[in-house]
Structures are given as C-alpha cells and as structure tokens.
Amino acid sequence: WQSRTYVIANAVGIAVLAFYIAVCLMVLSPFQCYRNPNGVWTMTQNNSVICWSSSQHHVMVVISILASFIPFSFLSYVVYVLLQFPSRTGRGDVNFLRNAAFILSRVRPRCRWWICFTLCRNLAIAMVPIIPTSVWQFFALVSILISSIVGTVRDMPNTSRLANWMEIATGVLLLWVVLLSAPYLDATDAHIPEVAILLLVLLSAIFLGTFLWIFFSRCIVSRRKSFRWFLCHHKVAAGSFARLLKIFLTSRGGDNAVFLDSDDLLDLGKLFECVSRDVDT
C-alpha cells in the first residue's frame, strides 16, 4: 500500500488542478461586492449581507482569509516541486518524480514552469469579480485571456499537440464571448463597445489567417518529412559507428537528412512524434 501512495497523490493533484478556479471563486466570494442604487455595497452572491460594515461580513472575510490557505498552499507546492526538480532528478529520486507526475508529465521539459503560469492565470480569473466596476473587469479578463492564448501559441507547452490546440481554441472561444458582452457593459465611456467590436474583428482575422496559414503550409505546400533516415543505436556499443554512418549518408548529397539523437533530440517528449511523423526510414 505504501508503494502506491503516489497514485493517491496524483489523483488529488489532478482534482485540485481541475477545480482550482472553482475553489478560488468560492474562497474569494466574500470579497465580491457590488454597489446598489442606494449606494450600499452588498455581496454578489447574497445581497442581504452588507459589505465591510456588518459583523456577518467581517466573519466571512476572516473565514475566507483562512480558507485561502488551500489554493495558495497548492500553488506554493507546485513552485517547490519545480524548484526541486533539477536536484531531485540528479539524485535519482524516483518517489519524488512519481508523486509530482501530475505536474511534470503535463508539459514539455523546457516549458516546466507553464503549470505555475496556468495556476496564476486561473487565480487571476477568479479575482476578476472582485474588481468593483464592470469595465475594468472586462479589460482585466480580456488581458488575461490574450496573454494565455499568446503564451500557448508561442510555447506549445503541453506534451500533447491536441491538448495545445484545444487550449488555444477554448481560449479564443472564451475571448469571443467576453468581447461580445461589451455592448452590455454599464459604462460611461460610449466608445468601449466599438473598441470591443474592433478587437473582435481583429481576433477573428488573426484566427482565420492562422488557420489558413497552417492549412496551406501543412496540407498544400509541403508533405516532405524533416528526416530521411533515423539512426537507432546502442550508445556504448555503436555510438561511433552511428556517427560515421551519419557522415556517410549526409556526404552523398541530396535530401539525406539524418536524425541522430545526440544532434537532433532537443526535446525528449517529441521523440515518438518525430519517429511517427518526420522520418521516412
């Protein structure tokens, strides 16, 4: 049983990752207040509770501060795992790697800190309702979503290519929904809906152009694979021979690109993808 505790640790970790925004929203709910027409601020979820001036709200704020230990401690644990990963890997600490698999196996090695960015993004989204005015809530949420989409497109951090595209599509869809809500904002600036519509048109144009570029580059322009040969070898027994064979194949000229792990394997997570998609022989 003790040797299988990492299964429980990973199950709990995945559950917390899945419900992190919901937990943060529930913890921060006493801070979500809105102003009534009579000038009194009441809680969004319970308008019978007056914010900052009633003893009931004071108790709820104290409980919320104590409960915030849950999301912040989980975020601290993720940062601790990421900081300890290089040294623990060097010592061959298998138990540490197993217990933190729900963090380390989600992203590629060079994008290890993306999981921390994801948690901070989710925490920021949960804090958006705390902002008192809907206009600033709108711009804060748009900024968070745009930064998330840009980061995902630039780094493609997830180990699964499908997961990256699903995250991008989900972010774009949410951004569209937020931008479409701009005409319904209670704003004093009459130009905010026009700005939101302009952003929506630009986003649609960028998304359509990206889709056409991907389709054109991958499906029409070139179906040629990156490598013609893949050298699989035993490092100790045939490492030098593999190097000599690569030199011989590339010296023949033409399209004779050779994949040799010591030269071309920059990301271990892409090894099987490279073998299945980018190699002829």
Side-chain angles (χ1 to χ4, degrees), residues 221-237:
V221 174
S222 175
R223 294 180 179 271
R224 186 178 59 185
K225 297 183 178 181
S226 303
F227 300 97
R228 185 175 181 184
W229 311 99
F230 181 89
L231 298 182
C232 181
H233 63 286
H234 186 268
K235 183 67 68 176
V236 177

Side-chain angles (χ1 to χ4, degrees), residues 190-211:
H191 297 289
I192 289 180
E194 286 80 357
V195 172
I197 294 173
L198 178 61
L199 289 175
L200 180 61
V201 172
L202 291 176
L203 179 65
S204 303
I206 293 173
F207 182 75
L208 180 61
T210 304
F211 175 77

